[in-house]
Amino acid sequence: MPDIRSIPLAPRCGVVDLGSNSVRLVVFEGRGRNPQAIFNEKAVLGLGRGLQTTGRLNDDAIGPALTVLTRYHAVAHAMHADPLEVVATAAVRDAENGPAFVAAMQERIPGLRIRILTGEEEARLSADGVLLGFPGADGILGDLGGGSLEVVRLTEGRVMRAASLPIGAIRLAERAGGEVARARAIAEAELAKHSWLAEGGGRDLYLVGGAWRALARMHMAQTGYPLAIVHHYVLRREEARDLAGVVMAASRRVLERMPGAPQKRLGDMPFAAVAMRRLLRATGAARVVFSANGLREGWYSRLLPAEVRAEDPMLAAARELATAWGRDPQLPPALIAWTDPIFPEQDPATRALRESACWVSDIGSHDHPEYRAEQAFLRVLRQHGAGLDHHARAFLGLCAALRYEAEPVAPYLAPTRALLDVPTFRRAEALGAALRLAYTLCGGTPALLAGTRLERQGSRLVLRLAEGTGVFAGESVLRRVEQLGAVLGLEAVVEVAG
């Protein structure tokens, strides 16, 4: 038996986000395009509570914060996370005893790297994290913490302007004396100082931060949304305004009874809702798009080579799945070329979906035969992936399931019927049928696939087979080429060439 101590680990790195409300350690594994967090722990300490009135960090939280930071350092060291860095945001930045707290940290944990971010640095790190998942983001980014709200103007994936406002959920509540009406006026006045926010008119508003993610989860719970993933969750402008209005007006008792309400931060929710609604008004955004990526992922992104950051995040996620679960990394590129003649896409996004579907098409090969379709579907639907929106998850998962002969009406495929429109569902059915035919022909090997070719000739779908290559038109091949032809609305023909 090999000595497991000799098995090399993938490179790891860790970041501690020291915020006004919570402190969190995230350890990432690898240096891929999609951040893979293998450890994520949060402690809610309220280090910045009372800062607005005292100008100091919360004395009751300083001792627990040092204890938690000592634990996080030990965890990261044991996990071989290198580099490891503490990034401190608004509370430590603004408190008069912030430098003394940092000195106490360094005394308690010698050698620990600590960086106090400026407001603009915090905003730009958050933007870097968002751009990992939304590389072409265009609109306004808002990152709501306990002490501050960072806002960034994004234009087609580029950071144009950035600012930090003293209206985080905790600070806004304290400045307003706990009164929602006063909080509205304060938030509006602070946002009015940055006229460029109006450049978000008709564009997207990208929201980052735990309190705003909690609002998204509340909306998902109330509407019975079929996927419990906040990242890439989208609300139309009016939906977002209505959600914020309900939360702003609700008493604590009413909030406690709302589905999905976060019990540990109920007191912050009305003020998070105020910030969201005022930001919607200031920007004129058409949609709200929630991002689970933010400052921590932005910190991680700066460790990546430029060529990795430039990768398409959806294709990168699909390739990662294929590497982990597929049988032959040479097959997906062959499948992409093989399906080219019958899927003449009209735009790059549609082609990228087909390419990604080819990459994930073999990820059930190691699962039990009775559960391959369902397992492949769930693996795609629920995988990590910064650039996978909910539409892409549903489409790619459906294609993978159909490649394994899932029935389109299978109960576990219900999320796809909610997330995909009818034309997109039909396109997935056609691609799934093509991939099922390809695997029947080649058994998952590019060498055998090379002896076959698909063509569209007017109203006919032609499957050409090269004689003597190990492929033949058996009963299953004939049945599946006919199924593919039926989905495409074409007459299926098989021709064998010597």
Side-chain angles (χ1 to χ4, degrees):
M1 181 176 178
D3 183 355
I4 61 173
R5 292 173 297 181
S6 66
I7 299 174
L9 293 172
R12 294 172 177 176
C13 59
V15 59
V16 177
D17 181 355
L18 182 59
S20 299
N21 189 48
S22 64
V23 54
R24 184 190 295 268
L25 167 66
V26 178
V27 175
F28 297 103
E29 184 169 79
R31 295 289 191 274
R33 177 62 177 73
N34 290 285
Q36 177 69 64
I38 60 170
F39 184 87
N40 189 327
E41 182 175 297
K42 178 180 74 171
V44 178
L45 303 176
L47 194 62
R49 289 198 182 274
L51 176 65
Q52 180 64 29
T53 54
T54 67
R56 296 174 58 83
L57 297 175
N58 180 357
D59 287 332
D60 292 337
I62 288 176
L66 292 173
T67 299
V68 167
L69 288 163
T70 302
R71 165 179 161 73
Y72 286 173
H73 179 261
V75 169
H77 179 73
M79 296 183 73
H80 305 283
D82 184 23
L84 170 68
E85 187 172 34
V86 176
V87 290
T89 56
V92 176
R93 176 171 70 235
D94 297 341
E96 65 180 52
N97 59 340
F101 175 70
V102 170
M105 266 197 289
Q106 292 173 326
E107 182 178 354
R108 175 81 69 93
I109 314 168
L112 180 63
R113 293 172 55 183
I114 305 167
R115 180 156 50 122
I116 302 175
L117 300 175
T118 67
E120 182 165 343
E121 286 173 335
E122 186 177 351
R124 289 181 177 273
L125 275 179
S126 293
D128 286 347
V130 168
L131 291 173
L132 276 182
F134 306 84
D138 189 81
I140 303 295
L141 158 66
D143 184 352
L144 184 71
S148 62
L149 167 64
E150 277 63 52
V151 288
V152 182
R153 171 68 168 108
L154 299 170
T155 302
E156 297 179 349
R158 292 176 294 120
V159 175
M160 307 303 291
R161 301 170 183 262
S164 181
L165 287 64
I167 51 171
I170 294 174
R171 186 176 291 185
L172 180 59
E174 292 178 350
R175 290 179 65 182
E179 296 181 15
V180 169
R182 287 183 63 191
R184 286 200 297 262
I186 292 168
E188 190 165 350
E190 292 288 353
L191 291 165
K193 296 175 183 178
H194 303 278
S195 59
W196 53 266
L197 289 171
E199 295 173 13
R203 295 179 168 83
D204 286 338
L205 175 60
Y206 302 90
L207 296 187
V208 178
W212 278 341
R213 288 195 296 273
L215 285 174
R217 290 191 186 94
M218 292 171 67
H219 191 269
M220 294 164 82
Q222 291 162 11
T223 58
Y225 192 71
L227 190 59
I229 296 176
V230 170
H231 192 51
H232 280 273
Y233 187 58
V234 176
L235 294 178
R236 296 188 304 274
R237 177 184 178 84
E238 290 307 312
E239 290 177 316
R241 288 187 75 258
D242 290 346
L243 171 64
V246 168
V247 174
M248 288 163 57
S251 66
R252 186 179 181 91
R253 175 169 289 186
V254 170
L255 282 174
E256 287 173 347
R257 297 175 180 173
M258 286 185 179
Q263 298 304 309
K264 290 185 178 181
R265 58 165 83 228
L266 281 179
D268 297 336
M269 297 312 297
F271 301 95
V274 167
M276 183 170 83
R277 193 158 181 174
R278 295 300 100 176
L279 190 54
L280 267 171
R281 173 181 287 188
T283 61
R287 302 191 312 168
V288 165
V289 183
F290 293 91
S291 172
N293 282 11
L295 182 149
R296 296 177 293 273
E297 290 74 22
W299 177 91
Y300 165 89
S301 76
R302 296 191 177 185
L303 301 178
L304 301 179
E307 62 272 16
V308 173
R309 288 199 304 273
E311 293 176 2
D312 180 290
M314 179 176 66
L315 283 167
R319 286 193 292 266
E320 288 166 10
L321 273 180
T323 300
W325 300 98
R327 289 174 290 180
D328 189 335
Q330 302 303 314
L331 182 60
L335 288 170
I336 293 168
W338 192 79
T339 55
D340 274 343
I342 59 168
F343 295 106
E345 289 91 349
Q346 300 301 310
D347 61 84
T350 303
R351 178 176 177 85
L353 277 170
R354 176 166 61 87
E355 291 183 6
S356 297
C358 290
W359 277 101
V360 303
S361 62
D362 201 37
I363 63 171
S365 58
H366 296 88
D367 294 319
H368 190 286
E370 294 295 329
Y371 294 98
R372 279 179 183 153
E374 183 176 1
Q375 190 73 1
F377 171 73
L378 294 176
R379 190 169 285 141
V380 175
L381 188 73
R382 299 174 178 173
Q383 72 158 314
H384 83 284
L388 285 171
D389 62 27
H390 296 187
H391 170 275
R393 290 175 182 275
F395 182 88
L396 298 178
L398 178 59
C399 288
L402 294 174
R403 166 268 191 270
Y404 286 112
E405 302 185 70
E407 292 293 332
V409 295
Y412 61 83
L413 292 178
T416 65
R417 294 187 281 277
L419 295 169
L420 301 177
D421 59 26
V422 172
T424 306
F425 195 98
R426 296 286 179 249
R427 197 168 75 248
E429 284 188 300
L431 183 51
L435 292 169
R436 187 163 64 242
L437 171 62
Y439 280 92
T440 302
L441 288 165
C442 74
T445 65
L448 290 184
L449 188 66
T452 73
R453 189 168 76 254
L454 276 178
E455 296 178 2
R456 292 181 78 139
Q457 295 181 352
S459 62
R460 300 197 315 161
L461 172 70
V462 181
L463 171 63
R464 299 190 183 279
L465 306 179
E467 194 171 17
T469 59
V471 293
F472 64 97
E475 183 272 336
S476 59
V477 168
L478 293 174
R479 183 176 71 252
R480 286 173 180 165
V481 75
E482 288 173 0
Q483 289 171 343
L484 176 58
V487 172
L488 294 173
L490 302 173
E491 177 192 358
V493 177
V494 179
E495 296 182 357
V496 180

